[in-house]
Amino acid sequence: MRLFLALILSFLAGSIPFGVIVGKRYGLDVRSQGSKNIGATNVVRTLGLEPAVMTLLLDLAKGAIPVSLAFANSASPLFPVLVGCAA
């Protein structure tokens, strides 16, 4: 049950579109500008360096935090791998 819950929460964390959120904070929908991608590269193209760095760090964190928690709370080496794949 713990694995299932961790996988669901990791998947939900990984599905947060930080490029869209940061873009909206700066008053622009990055999905309608540049390459229309929500990643940090399109954010730097359309909004500049500061929003792109914020997007990149948030995108990194949404994968790193669940995996770090899985490493800290598991004896099995497979658990963090599965959590990382879900994120």
Side-chain angles (χ1 to χ4, degrees):
M1 183 65 178
R2 192 172 84 168
L3 173 63
F4 180 73
L5 182 62
L7 292 176
I8 294 298
L9 291 175
S10 296
F11 179 79
L12 291 174
S15 67
I16 300 171
F18 284 118
V20 173
I21 294 169
V22 170
K24 293 286 184 183
R25 182 172 176 226
Y26 284 85
L28 181 72
D29 186 1
V30 295
R31 296 173 296 181
S32 65
Q33 303 290 319
S35 68
K36 299 181 178 29
N37 192 326
I38 62 170
T41 302
N42 193 39
V43 174
V44 77
R45 231 181 265 136
T46 57
L47 293 172
L49 189 59
E50 183 181 328
V53 169
M54 189 182 321
T55 302
L56 179 63
L57 293 176
L58 289 168
D59 280 344
L60 288 171
K62 73 182 177 184
I65 291 171
V67 171
S68 297
L69 291 173
F71 266 119
N73 295 314
S74 174
S76 169
L78 186 59
F79 187 63
V81 172
L82 293 174
V83 166
C85 288

